[in-house]
Every structure is written in structure tokens, then in C-alpha cells.
Amino acid sequence: MTSNKQQYVDWFRGSSPYIHSHRGRTFVIYISGETITHDGFPHLIHDIALLNSLGVKLVLVHGARPQIKQQLETLKIKSDFHNGWRITPAKILPGIEQAVGQVRVNIETHLSKGLINTPMAGAALSVISGNFVTARPYGVRQGIDFGFTGDIRKVNTNAIQQQLSLNNIVLLSPIAYSPSGEAFNCRAEDVATAAASALGADKLIFMMPAAGVQNEQKKIVHQLSLTEAESLSEKNNNDEITQLHLCSAVNACKKGVRRAHLISHETDGALLLELYTRDGSGTMITTDTYEGLRQANINDVGGILELIQPLEQQNVLAHRSREQLELEIEQFTVIERDGMIIACAALYPYDNHCAELACVAVHNDYQKQGRAGELIQHVQQQCRHNHINQLFILTTHTAHWFIEKGFIEGDLKQIPIQRRDMYNAQRNSKIYIKNL
């Protein structure tokens, strides 16, 4: 098999866990007005169609800032902003409605394509738009009347979920409506955040110009806990659009969205790379157990001992004394829940870019919930950060679990000589190795 074909096969196989994981999940995808004008927009539409075919329930929310600006300039109407909010007097609302309507039709047109010999062939997507979002006036703030600028009041989740259950794509615009029959110009980011929160979406995804969120050193950060993201949102490290999206993502995660992603439309296939590869392409903000995952400290020794002693008694883990744990505590990562250590793992680096994964343990009450897998994923990220390209484990009871995680059986000759000298022949542990 040629190298290109093998790369394709390897990628496709590598994406299969994500395909299974995402099927049946609800994703809200925000598409900025800048994304819609980008040359890569048709490719993004193809990728969205692919997500739909893979069983992902999709709610699309589109922006229209550059289109509204162009439309109002064509009409020779001035539009003002205050604190990031457009002031919408009655005279400019028709121009905004016209621009938003044209964008919505443009998106629906792209999603309706199905020509033979194109990525959309046979897709037959159904796209549903409607009055799913209710708004109220943003009102008078700091003495400024925002007119027909709207603040999100309610999202009709029952109607949206009904459409999603029929495998339809729901398309939401930044125009929302009131029970009194008025239309309001809303921020598309607020529509996306409100929809994702109300639906309990698994993911909220922002497509935007920037490659992700920058830290204080102006480097893209690929993964953030909610606490870390909130801290960065209070700083001015990013451009105005990225900062707005970051704040929206933090707000959504606080309201129950499990993960938010900020990725660039400048990268062809960024959506697929983010969702179906291990390393992703942008910035992910997560509220799951990574928040409780941290490096251990000396105060955790008692909790780790309590966790691992039952496994030591069953000969699942090698015995570790309190003194040994105190000396090696910096090698441990733990998951803490309400002050209790419920999982741990240790990483022991060796020379030649190799490390041992050891003492993987999860409390009985929290097993089969993915915490051990999260620990392994975190340890592998540590390895890559420290340029460690091979991980090995010694196990007596859990070989099949590690095989499922990509480890392959090896032998004593394949591990560092320092570790070979410490090998306990009485335990007769099997050796499994994973190249990172």
C-alpha cells in the first residue's frame, strides 16, 4: 500500500472512536459572518454535511456583522456601537433584516447542493429555520437607548429537538422575535450560547478567523479548563472577535455545555480536525473531570494510600509504602472530587524519551465512568509536552484494558535497563508498550 493510502487508512481508523462518541450528540456551531465570506466556506459546508451523515445533531447559528455593515453602507445609514453592542434604531432595522435574510438564504443554498461528483452528492439535507428564539429589548443602558437591539429571553428547545430527532439541521439567525410581534437584532454569539445552554448541547463550536485562544505569551492554547478560560477571558490577549467568542464559550460552559471549541475557518478542514483527531486544531474549553485533574502534592499521600491499598491487597498493584509515596508524590496525577482522591496515576520518565505509566487506580464507586481513560489521556499529553515518545506499563490484571488503549505487548528487553534491574520476577508482570 502506498504511503498516502496508508495515511488515509490510519487516519480513518484513528477517527473511529470519535465517530462512535459523537453519534447522536447535539452540537451547536456558530458560523461568523467573516467565515461565510471566506473562500473556504463551501468546504466548511461539506464538512457540516459530513457531520450530519455521521449522526451528529446540528444546530447552526450564523452571524452577519460584515454583511450588515456592507448593507448599511450601501443604504448610506450610519450604525453605532456601545460596549460591543450595536445600537438599533427603527430606521436601520430593515437593512439589518435584509442582510441577515440574504446570509440565511446563502447558507440554505449551500446546504441544498447535491451535484454528482461533489462532496454534497446524495446528502439530501433538510434545513429548518423559524421563530425558535424569543427576545426582549436590550433597553436603555448608561443612558443609551439601544432601540431594537435584543436580549435573548427564551429558546424553544422542544421545537428544535423535534426537528433534530427527524435528522434535520436547525439554522438560527441573529434575528429573534417577541410575543408582541416585534423583531430584534441580537448578537449571534448570544443566540449560540443561549441555544447550546438550553439544549444541553455536548459542544458549542465557534468558527472564526483566529486559530484559537492566545495566552499571555501570545501562544495558542489548545486546551483550557473552565477556570483557566475564565481567567484568560478577563485579560486582553486576543483580538476583539476572539475575546467575544471566548467570553461566550465561558458563559455557555458555566450554564452546562460540556465542551466549547474555538477554531479557525482559515484552516481547511479545521472542524473535522478538531472533532475527529486527537490533537485537534484550535482551543477546547472543557468542564468535565479535567477540572478535578491535577498534579498531586504531599497532602494527597493519605488519599492515594487509601485508594491503592485495596488493589495492593489483591496484588493488582505493587506495594508502595507511605515513605515511598512521599518521595515520589511529584510523579503522580490525581482526580479529586469534593476533597476526595478518586483516581490516580504515576509517570516515571527515563532517558531516551521513554517513560513508565504506573499505579493507575480508580475508586470502586467511580469506575466505568471514563476516569481512568482521562488520566491516561492526560499522562500522554504530559509525555508529548516533555518530548517523550514511548510509554510502557507493567501489569498483572489489566492487560486487555491497556490493549484497548493502544498498548502492544512487549518484553523485558524493550524497557530501560534501569527499570529492568528493578523488575520483580515473582509478580511476573506483563509488559505493554505504546508509541506516542
Side-chain angles (χ1 to χ4, degrees), residues 11 38 40-48 50-51 207 263-277 280-282:
W11 179 88
H38 191 264
F41 179 59
H43 294 158
L44 174 61
I45 291 293
H46 298 160
D47 295 344
I48 288 171
L50 180 57
L51 292 186
M207 301 299 305
I263 56 182
S264 176
H265 62 234
E266 298 285 346
T267 301
D268 186 24
L271 183 61
L272 299 182
L273 290 170
E274 183 71 10
L275 296 177
Y276 293 99
T277 67
S281 66

Side-chain angles (χ1 to χ4, degrees), residues 347-376:
L347 180 67
Y348 297 91
Y350 291 89
D351 295 334
N352 66 3
H353 307 292
C354 180
E356 179 183 6
L357 171 65
C359 201
V360 179
V362 179
H363 191 281
N364 280 338
D365 293 345
Y366 296 96
Q367 289 182 358
K368 297 182 180 180
Q369 297 179 12
R371 285 180 169 82
E374 290 166 359
L375 277 169
I376 301 301

